[in-house]
């Protein structure tokens, strides 16, 4: 999942030189060394405080999760082999494997799982809110853990496939090196002697790993390339086998170097019209103004100019993987400046209006010029304030009625609670609409058929009400050399490690 925190991370990490060469991979089974290019260093190796998204490969190397997600996002067994809910979906019971040990020899048990869950809920991870509904976790017996929730949470199983489900040895909880020397039960161990923190991380295969069939390499090296030039040079020099790319600017050169591009439409780009109640800018209270903003953007041209043509124009924030996805909503607002002007006039703004927005070089420079030009063409003057590294902070304060943003397309319940609900992170004005609240309640508590229908209705209503002004779903591009095959992961910026394999 591309997290908005990545923007600040990319800006903060200094440019790194080329580091190390990868060994040749043998075909089939467990081969020698896989060298990965990553965009950010590991913030911490403490499971309690762990990040995910672009930091997920660090965590997956050394830790197991209670559940796993397949490339389509479907939940599969992990350290838990079975799970079930009570009738109210407020008590989740997990049956755990009984043959797993951490690399320090400590046995993995239900009590350990319960401790890790409550530690994550009470920790400092940017995703700690994923377990905000967890009232308690307790061991029923050595292989059964029971999670009691304050209210049902349709996304909980997915969260347990991510950092919320990471399992760390209890002996590491009080270790002075918990942030730099992880102790998990995962497929690899971190070689701290060969690791250069912030630059290169070396992982050796855990020879006693309980699931050896998922381990495809004897060693994994993760080198940090925080700027596109150093990553491109590493790819051209054959110094990485696979890497995530920060943008699509260099794909032609990358493909010319013999690399395959594995695309994934992970995020949507466009505007969030935050002040839907008009508390900061009264014009945005009128749905006609919000709709006019949508009609003002030539999304196909913006995809070429900003996204280098890699992606799909859309006017909905729900992804293709959503039960609420509607192909017709990809073009609900066709580019129509005349219609935009007509809507503005009908709303009482025939002479135009002014809109304040933040800007930041973290998201490039061209995009702000294009936003200003396209809105000016329909009579909307944009006053930009350079928020710099405070772009996210100021946006969520909130200090602006609207903003350009790149946001991930999460699974439905996570997306709703990240972008739409009245308590969502990216609804900082806490705007509430009775119809939206009712649909969310049905999604939360209804039967599967009722919930699915409500997701569809919610998506359509949010588009009609123009809560957002999406431009396109941007292609995220993971690349690999001729020796390496990759399956990208729905909902995550980085493919999961067990889906990166040697070509046979």
């Amino acid at each position: 999942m591309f997290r908005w925190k990545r923007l600040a991370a990319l800006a903060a990490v200094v440019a790194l030189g080329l580091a190390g060469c990868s060994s040749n991979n043998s075909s089939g089974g467990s081969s020698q060394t896989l060298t990965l290019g990553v965009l950010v260093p590991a913030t911490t190796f403490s499971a309690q405080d762990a990040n995910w998204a672009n930091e997920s490969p660090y965590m997956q190397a050394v830790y197991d999760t209670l559940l796993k997600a397949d490339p389509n996002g479907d939940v599969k067994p992990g350290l838990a082999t079975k799970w079930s809910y009570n009738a109210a979906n407020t008590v989740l019971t997990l049956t755990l494997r009984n043959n797993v040990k951490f690399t320090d020899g400590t046995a993995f048990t239900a009590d350990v799982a319960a401790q890790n869950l409550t530690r994550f809920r009470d920790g400092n991870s940017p995703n700690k809110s994923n377990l905000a509904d967890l009232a308690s976790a307790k061991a029923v017996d050595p292989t059964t853990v029971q999670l009691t929730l304050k209210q049902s949470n349709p996304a909980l199983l997915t969260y347990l496939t991510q950092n919320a489900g990471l399992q760390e040895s209890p002996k590491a909880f009080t270790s002075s090196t918990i942030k730099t020397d992880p102790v998990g039960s995962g497929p690899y161990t971190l070689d701290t002697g060969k690791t250069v923190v912030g630059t290169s991380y070396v992982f050796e295969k855990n020879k006693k790993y309980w699931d050896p069939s998922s381990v495809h390499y004897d060693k994994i090296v993760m080198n940090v390339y925080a700027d596109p030039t150093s990553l491109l040079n590493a790819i051209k020099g054959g110094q990485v086998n696979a890497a995530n790319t920060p943008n699509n600017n260099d794909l032609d050169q990358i493909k010319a170097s013999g690399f395959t591009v594995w695309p994934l439409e992970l995020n949507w780009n466009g505007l969030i019209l935050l002040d839907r109640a008009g508390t900061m800018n009264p014009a945005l209270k009128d749905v006609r103004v919000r709709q006019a903003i949508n009609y003002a953007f030539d999304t196909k041209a913006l995809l070429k100019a900003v996204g280098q043509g890699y992606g799909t124009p859309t006017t909905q924030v729900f992804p293709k993987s959503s039960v609420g996805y509607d192909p017709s909503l990809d073009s609900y607002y066709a580019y129509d400046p005349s219609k935009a002007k007509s809507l503005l006039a009908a709303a009482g703004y025939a002479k135009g209006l002014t809109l304040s927005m933040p800007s930041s070089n973290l998201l490039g420079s061209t995009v702000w010029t294009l936003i200003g030009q396209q809105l000016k063409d329909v009579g909307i003057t944009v006053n930009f304030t350079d928020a710099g590294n405070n772009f996210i902070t100021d946006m969520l304060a909130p200090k602006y009625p609207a903003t350009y943003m790149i946001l991930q397309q999460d699974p439905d319940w996570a997306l709703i609670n990240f972008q739409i609900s009245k308590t969502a992170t990216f609804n900082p004005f806490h705007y509430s609409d009775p119809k939206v609240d009712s649909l969310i309640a049905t999604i939360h508590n209804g039967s599967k058929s009722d919930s699915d229908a409500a997701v569809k209705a919610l998506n359509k209503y949010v588009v009609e009400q123009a809560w957002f002004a999406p431009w396109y779903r941007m292609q995220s591009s993971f690349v690999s050399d001729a020796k390496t095959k990759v399956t990208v992961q729905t909902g995550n910026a980085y493919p999961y490690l067990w889906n990166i394999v040697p070509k046979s």
Side-chain angles (χ1 to χ4, degrees):
M1 77 188 105
F2 172 97
R3 290 289 177 194
W4 49 269
K5 299 156 190 84
R6 168 180 161 187
L7 300 174
L10 283 174
V13 179
V14 296
L16 298 168
L18 306 179
C21 296
S22 61
S23 302
N24 291 331
N25 295 329
S26 62
S27 61
S30 175
S31 61
Q32 285 187 328
T33 300
L34 172 70
T35 302
L36 298 173
V38 291
L39 300 177
V40 293
T43 303
T44 179
F45 276 99
S46 167
Q48 179 184 31
D49 303 327
N51 289 288
W52 201 243
N54 273 292
E55 294 187 40
S56 57
Y58 298 114
M59 300 301 114
Q60 289 180 333
V62 295
Y63 294 118
D64 286 311
T65 46
L66 289 174
L67 299 172
K68 278 190 171 184
D70 70 11
N72 293 321
D74 295 328
V75 177
K76 303 295 182 181
L79 288 179
T81 58
K82 295 187 296 183
W83 56 92
S84 62
Y85 275 105
N86 67 345
N89 292 323
T90 55
V91 178
L92 173 65
T93 302
L94 299 162
T95 301
L96 308 178
R97 300 182 187 276
N98 62 5
N99 61 337
V100 176
K101 288 188 177 182
F102 295 100
T103 54
D104 63 1
T106 304
F108 168 69
T109 65
D111 181 63
V112 171
Q115 290 183 65
N116 273 289
L117 289 164
T118 54
R119 279 172 56 81
F120 186 86
R121 179 198 63 189
D122 301 334
N124 295 310
S125 169
N127 306 121
K128 62 181 290 186
S129 61
N130 290 354
L131 291 188
D133 290 327
L134 180 65
S136 65
K138 67 176 183 179
V140 176
D141 58 46
T143 58
T144 308
V145 64
Q146 190 174 83
L147 284 64
T148 301
L149 307 180
K150 301 172 186 175
Q151 60 179 349
S152 62
N153 188 326
L156 180 61
L157 294 178
T158 296
Y159 292 151
L160 295 182
T161 72
Q162 301 168 0
N163 44 353
L166 294 173
Q167 296 298 299
E168 181 178 49
S169 170
K171 289 184 178 179
F173 292 168
T174 57
S175 170
S176 61
T177 59
I178 189 171
K179 295 181 179 181
T180 57
D181 192 4
V183 184
S185 62
Y188 297 89
T189 58
L190 178 67
D191 188 333
T192 57
K194 295 180 181 178
T195 290
V196 179
V197 174
T199 301
S200 182
Y201 300 80
V202 179
F203 300 88
E204 299 288 348
K205 184 171 70 172
N206 177 4
K207 295 181 180 179
K208 297 181 179 180
Y209 188 53
W210 61 272
D211 185 19
S213 64
S214 67
V215 184
H216 307 296
Y217 299 92
D218 291 328
K219 178 189 291 186
I220 293 181
V221 179
M222 301 183 194
N223 292 331
V224 180
Y225 300 101
D227 72 282
T229 300
S230 62
L231 175 60
L232 179 61
N233 288 336
I235 289 171
K236 287 181 173 180
Q239 294 175 309
V240 295
N241 301 113
N244 203 3
T245 58
N247 54 51
N248 295 312
N249 296 346
D250 300 322
L251 288 191
D252 287 344
Q253 294 185 69
I254 290 172
K255 287 187 284 188
S257 298
F259 275 61
T260 298
V261 177
W262 307 92
L264 173 67
E265 289 186 349
L266 181 65
N267 317 305
W268 67 267
N269 293 46
L271 268 60
I272 310 176
L273 305 180
L274 299 164
D275 187 18
R276 298 159 201 138
T279 57
M280 187 176 290
N281 187 320
L284 289 181
K285 183 177 182 179
D286 195 314
V287 65
R288 293 169 294 186
V289 173
R290 302 195 300 268
Q291 291 171 338
I293 291 172
N294 275 267
Y295 282 117
F297 289 112
D298 186 345
T299 57
K300 293 180 180 179
L302 288 167
L303 176 58
K304 291 181 180 179
V306 182
Q308 294 81 46
Y310 294 100
T312 305
T314 188
T315 54
Q316 62 187 316
V317 299
F318 282 81
K320 287 185 176 180
S321 57
S322 167
V323 298
Y325 174 75
D326 181 347
S328 70
L329 297 179
D330 277 339
S331 56
Y332 187 86
Y333 296 101
Y335 175 52
D336 193 338
S338 296
K339 190 165 187 175
K341 292 177 182 178
S342 177
L343 285 166
L344 288 173
Y349 297 97
K351 295 183 179 180
L353 62 92
T354 301
L355 187 63
S356 297
M357 293 176 58
S359 64
S360 174
N361 285 333
L362 293 173
L363 294 169
S365 57
T366 304
V367 65
W368 315 113
T369 301
L370 293 172
I371 291 171
Q373 287 176 345
Q374 299 230 302
L375 289 178
K376 185 177 181 180
D377 287 345
V378 301
I380 299 174
T381 299
V382 182
N383 290 334
F384 288 109
T385 300
D386 185 357
N389 290 334
N390 291 323
F391 183 82
I392 300 293
T393 304
D394 288 354
M395 179 198 313
L396 300 181
K399 293 184 178 181
Y400 302 94
T403 184
Y404 169 77
M405 192 55 189
I406 304 169
L407 284 181
Q408 72 267 21
Q409 296 183 306
D410 287 325
D412 292 338
W413 187 246
L415 185 151
I416 289 166
N417 285 283
F418 193 57
Q419 303 182 34
I420 294 174
S421 74
K422 60 187 175 183
T423 58
T425 301
F426 280 88
N427 184 4
F429 284 87
H430 305 298
Y431 179 71
S432 179
D433 179 301
K435 183 170 182 178
V436 168
D437 292 345
S438 176
L439 288 170
I440 291 176
T442 301
I443 294 166
H444 192 183
N445 300 310
S447 65
K448 186 178 187 308
S449 60
D450 288 344
S451 175
D452 289 353
V455 175
K456 292 179 183 293
L458 176 63
N459 186 20
K460 187 172 187 292
Y461 183 74
V462 166
V463 171
E464 292 172 342
Q465 291 295 305
W467 282 29
F468 306 89
W471 298 347
Y472 52 82
R473 290 186 295 273
M474 181 175 67
Q475 175 181 305
S476 296
S477 301
F478 194 85
V479 300
S480 69
D481 64 12
K483 303 171 186 176
T484 312
K485 181 181 178 181
V486 176
T487 304
V488 294
Q489 184 69 32
T490 296
N492 202 62
Y494 213 97
Y496 286 171
L497 284 183
W498 46 87
N499 293 324
I500 303 174
V501 301
K503 280 188 177 179
S504 58

